[in-house]
Amino acid sequence: MRWFRTTRRTSTGTGATGSGRLSGAERDPARLVTFSDAVFAIAVTLLILQIRPPQDTRDLLHGLTSLWPSYLAYAVTFLLIGQMWVNHHVMFDHIRAVDRLVLFLNTVLLMVIAFLPFASSVLAAAFESGHGRQSAVVFYGIAFEAVAALFNVIWEYVRRGRHLLQQAVDTDDLSAIGRRYRLALVWIAVGTALGILHPVAGVVVIAAFIPAYWLPIGGEASSAGRVRDRGPTPP
């Protein structure tokens, strides 16, 4: 708590140079984004490893079709992690530097993302066996709710401090991104709660978040424009 209070005082300090002594030196976020991309890539790769081929090949077609819960969990989780990857880039397009607290929070975020393949396998196993579906949907939803919460925490920290953001950042863009992250928090919570009453309906609500969340937002368009304006990255 003492470290967090010190970091919070830093975010309201006079400038980035002076604050570096309290919250740790501010760093270029490029390495953080590269490391995060690697974790996202590993997480979506691990998803397919959760699907085991049928052991009995005498009726292979039936065995393959009976794995439909695994296919569904794979597709939904892959697309949701893909959304997280896109929104992670949108967020860091607005961030010019990261301090030690952002590094820590992002590490916790990646830890939960790396956990998602396991949550996906639990969901698939429950629907394949027909037992524990409510618990599996709640477990799955809580894992994604944790990711949504961490996105909100990171964004609120950098948005309120402002010293870590790009100088030319637009206030409307910040608000648009914040609304998108808060929407994720509410939407997934609703799907998770519904899963207690009706597991299939809970999964449908969580999966319905995929097309809604892939729609572009104002903050994303503006950040993409800034990337084009900066030109190609030097070798």
Side-chain angles (χ1 to χ4, degrees):
M1 291 298 294
R2 179 182 177 185
W3 173 59
F4 181 78
R5 287 195 298 268
T6 301
T7 306
R8 186 168 179 82
R9 287 199 302 269
T10 297
S11 68
T12 58
T14 56
T17 303
S19 66
R21 292 192 299 271
L22 293 176
S23 62
E26 292 180 359
R27 297 171 172 85
D28 188 296
R31 291 186 65 186
L32 178 149
V33 173
T34 301
F35 176 64
S36 300
D37 285 349
V39 174
F40 278 108
I42 293 170
V44 294
T45 302
L46 289 175
L47 286 172
I48 193 61
L49 299 180
Q50 307 300 321
I51 304 178
R52 299 287 187 266
Q55 295 182 352
D56 187 358
T57 58
R58 287 175 297 180
D59 190 356
L60 186 58
L61 180 60
H62 173 74
L64 290 172
T65 55
S66 65
L67 292 175
W68 67 265
S70 294
Y71 304 146
L72 180 62
Y74 166 79
V76 171
T77 309
F78 195 108
L79 291 174
L80 286 172
I81 294 178
Q83 288 179 339
M84 297 172 192
W85 174 72
V86 171
N87 283 279
H88 191 269
H89 273 276
V90 171
M91 178 166 61
F92 278 90
D93 282 344
H94 291 278
I95 298 174
R96 71 163 182 85
V98 294
D99 60 15
R100 190 168 290 273
L101 183 56
V102 175
L103 291 172
F104 171 74
L105 291 172
N106 191 76
T107 300
V108 177
L109 172 65
L110 297 179
M111 180 180 70
V112 181
I113 288 172
F115 182 79
L116 294 178
F118 174 69
S120 177
S121 67
V122 170
L123 182 69
F127 273 84
E128 286 175 6
S129 67
H131 303 291
R133 292 184 177 184
Q134 287 93 342
S135 298
V137 173
V138 172
F139 183 73
Y140 185 78
I142 288 175
F144 278 96
E145 186 74 1
V147 174
L150 285 163
F151 264 97
N152 278 275
V153 170
I154 295 172
W155 184 245
E156 285 303 309
Y157 172 72
V158 298
R159 185 181 69 85
R160 291 178 183 275
R162 295 294 293 245
H163 66 285
L164 298 176
L165 293 173
Q166 298 283 354
Q167 292 182 352
V169 67
D170 187 273
T171 302
D172 291 338
D173 291 348
L174 299 181
S175 299
I177 295 173
R179 285 193 300 271
R180 173 65 65 91
Y181 293 159
R182 289 191 295 273
L183 173 63
L185 205 59
V186 174
W187 194 311
I188 295 175
V190 171
T192 303
L194 185 59
I196 301 175
L197 303 175
H198 198 294
V200 174
V203 173
V204 169
V205 170
I206 294 174
F209 191 59
I210 295 172
Y213 216 64
W214 274 108
L215 296 174
I217 57 176
E220 179 180 355
S222 298
S223 62
R226 281 194 296 276
V227 171
R228 288 194 298 270
D229 293 340
R230 288 199 297 265
T233 303

